[in-house]
Amino acid sequence: MKNILASFKTAIILLVLIVIGLIPGTYITPKFTEHFYAAASPLMINIYNFLQLSDSYHSWWFITLIALLLINIIACSIYRFPSLYKMLTKPSLKVPKKFGGNSFSALTVNKNGVERLFRRIKKRRYHIIERKEGETRNIVLQFGRWRHFSVFFIHLSIITIAVLGATTAFVGFKGYLTLPDGTSSNIWHNNKNQSGNLPFYIKNNYFEITHYRTGQIKAFITHGEAIYGSKIIPFEIKVNHPFVYKNIWFYQTGWDIDKANSTFVVNISSDGTGKTKTLKLGSSLTYKDIDLKLINYTNRFPKFGDAVLVEVKKGNFDRSGWISPGYPVNVGDFTIELQRIIPRYVTIIQASKTPGAFFMLIALYGGIFFTMVGLFLPYRRHHLFIVPIENGKYRIYKRRKSIKG
């Protein structure tokens, strides 16, 4: 069982399964779920619900895979740490019976040569482990030995990210507030039909869209305030410039037209005279024997952009159609013109609380740093034996099989 839990092969299998498990979470959208429920058989719907494919990142099987990977990482660390620590701090210092053959290279020096050797070793910052056996000095030199421990810090960062991610998933939240100008709310909703209450209110004083000279949108900005009891904290939210209050982050994610509060200046004229009125959707304008009612509005009408759907009645004539600013429409002797649109907007703000986000970021950067250490910090290990011989000289033997990596 220990071999399975601490196996590298087990880790690879779990990582492959997790990557496969990411696919439904990436491609299955709420719309797909709606269409699936409408078209699938009861058996397939039961399987779909059992696997929780509409929210696979929080499904029982995905959480189980993550938990098994964490257990594998912890088991690997516990299983390998003692032997690695012993190898680096208490290496084998056995003195061979003979120093001949191809296993050693040899060099004869005097006492000054030995001192120069040690000065050179210290200059290169080798870690020295030495033991004397009689007159023989048994020495192990290591450079970059702590590189081997980087894998444990990588494991720690993965565990930290997973644990804090789970905490965020079950304690934090992400939802949206849709606010017309002049309104406030403390209730967020998300696409999983979930909702919750903020500990304070968010008010949209007014929403602003700025444009380039070409007419393209430059920025959209929510000017508002957070209301917490008697405290009022003004803010300005735009893309990549969030507002943070009480550890809750607010992002500008989108906007829409507030059709109900947008107004439209409409003119009906005939024979040089006419009538102009500012209307909202659902209201009407009557001039002589023609009656016009506004039905709908869009800012994405093909070729024209802004357009209003109107219903026109004149005697037995009853017809609906779209009109746009700058394009008058003739109905008999009458001319109908949409002179101006005064749009009102709805801002869409994302509210997000991720309790462990800061520490997850630290763990992520820590994992990247220690990965670089493990990949690029060199490790060298040399085993030397210094044996005194006649006339104050010394024979230095070095194992030919030095460890590099």
Side-chain angles (χ1 to χ4, degrees):
M1 186 66 179
K2 179 176 73 175
N3 292 335
I4 295 174
L5 288 178
S7 169
F8 182 72
K9 292 180 180 179
T10 302
I12 295 297
I13 292 170
L14 289 171
L15 285 171
V16 170
L17 292 175
I18 288 171
V19 170
I20 294 172
L22 293 173
I23 296 173
T26 304
Y27 292 102
I28 293 180
T29 63
K31 284 188 177 181
F32 175 87
T33 301
E34 291 177 10
H35 293 313
F36 183 83
Y37 282 155
S41 65
L43 176 62
M44 294 303 296
I45 291 174
N46 288 335
I47 295 173
Y48 188 86
N49 291 335
F50 174 73
L51 295 176
Q52 299 176 322
L53 293 178
S54 60
D55 187 17
S56 60
Y57 294 148
H58 295 85
S59 64
W60 59 266
W61 55 267
F62 192 78
I63 293 171
T64 301
L65 289 174
I66 297 294
L68 289 173
L69 180 63
L70 293 182
I71 292 171
N72 173 263
I73 290 172
I74 294 170
C76 285
S77 300
I78 294 172
Y79 182 69
R80 288 174 170 77
F81 183 83
S83 59
L84 180 62
Y85 182 80
K86 184 178 180 181
M87 182 191 79
L88 295 176
T89 58
K90 298 178 181 179
S92 175
L93 293 172
K94 292 181 181 179
V95 177
K97 294 180 180 180
K98 293 183 179 180
F99 291 102
N102 295 324
S103 298
F104 296 91
S105 58
L107 178 68
T108 302
V109 296
N110 56 23
K111 187 176 180 180
N112 290 334
V114 174
E115 291 175 354
R116 284 197 302 272
L117 172 65
F118 272 86
R119 284 198 298 269
R120 188 176 179 184
I121 289 170
K122 290 179 180 178
K123 186 176 180 181
R124 294 192 176 186
R125 298 184 180 181
Y126 276 93
H127 179 264
I128 303 171
I129 299 174
E130 180 177 354
R131 187 171 70 191
K132 284 189 177 181
E133 296 186 15
E135 296 295 323
T136 301
R137 297 175 70 179
N138 188 351
I139 302 168
V140 172
L141 307 176
Q142 296 183 92
F143 178 82
R145 60 179 182 151
W146 298 113
R147 160 213 169 155
H148 293 280
F149 290 99
S150 63
V151 67
F152 298 106
F153 289 103
I154 295 169
H155 288 177
L156 181 62
S157 68
I158 294 172
I159 293 168
T160 303
I161 291 170
V163 171
L164 293 177
T167 303
T168 299
F170 292 101
V171 178
F173 65 85
K174 183 172 74 172
Y176 299 89
L177 294 93
T178 303
L179 301 172
D181 286 353
T183 63
S184 62
S185 178
N186 70 331
I187 301 174
W188 56 264
H189 302 271
N190 61 23
N191 54 15
K192 302 171 188 173
N193 295 322
Q194 297 172 334
S195 62
N197 295 326
L198 300 173
F200 50 88
Y201 281 81
I202 292 293
K203 183 178 180 182
N204 171 25
N205 290 330
Y206 69 96
F207 180 76
E208 177 188 9
I209 297 180
T210 59
H211 297 81
Y212 292 104
R213 291 182 179 180
T214 58
Q216 293 180 321
I217 292 177
K218 181 179 181 181
F220 40 97
I221 309 165
T222 300
H223 302 270
E225 53 197 25
I227 304 170
Y228 182 63
S230 59
K231 291 183 180 179
I232 298 177
I233 300 92
F235 63 76
E236 186 178 276
I237 306 175
K238 51 186 176 181
V239 177
N240 298 326
H241 292 80
F243 166 65
V244 186
Y245 186 59
K246 292 192 174 297
N247 295 322
I248 301 176
W249 292 66
F250 297 90
Y251 302 89
Q252 183 69 62
T253 57
W255 57 277
D256 203 350
I257 296 293
D258 183 8
K259 295 181 181 181
N261 292 308
S262 296
T263 54
F264 311 89
V265 180
V266 182
N267 173 265
I268 301 178
S269 60
S270 177
D271 298 327
T273 61
K275 184 177 181 180
T276 302
K277 189 175 180 180
T278 301
L279 305 173
K280 290 186 175 182
L281 292 183
S283 56
S284 301
L285 170 61
T286 301
Y287 178 65
K288 295 183 179 180
D289 60 342
I290 190 169
D291 183 70
L292 179 143
K293 184 177 180 180
L294 305 191
I295 305 298
N296 198 1
Y297 165 60
T298 180
N299 63 336
R300 298 179 178 89
F301 196 80
K303 295 184 180 180
F304 296 98
D306 290 307
V308 177
L309 178 63
V310 297
E311 180 184 67
V312 180
K313 293 182 180 180
K314 181 178 182 295
N316 294 326
F317 181 88
D318 187 348
R319 192 167 295 177
S320 298
W322 294 88
I323 58 174
S324 295
Y327 295 91
V329 176
N330 295 320
V331 179
D333 297 331
F334 294 88
T335 300
I336 300 172
E337 183 180 5
L338 179 61
Q339 295 182 335
R340 186 183 174 196
I341 297 175
I342 307 170
R344 292 290 181 268
Y345 301 102
V346 174
T347 183
I348 302 173
I349 300 172
Q350 181 192 97
S352 176
K353 185 176 183 180
T354 52
F358 176 73
F359 297 102
M360 286 172 67
L361 196 62
I362 291 176
L364 175 63
Y365 287 134
I368 294 171
F369 171 77
F370 286 109
T371 299
M372 295 298 104
V373 169
L375 289 174
F376 298 109
L377 180 66
Y379 173 72
R380 294 185 179 89
R381 177 176 169 177
H382 306 288
H383 201 164
L384 305 179
F385 301 92
I386 302 178
V387 182
I389 55 178
E390 70 280 353
N391 300 324
K393 294 188 176 181
Y394 297 85
R395 192 78 165 167
I396 300 175
Y397 296 94
K398 175 186 174 185
R399 286 192 188 271
R400 291 187 181 277
K401 191 176 180 181
S402 297
I403 299 175
K404 296 182 180 181

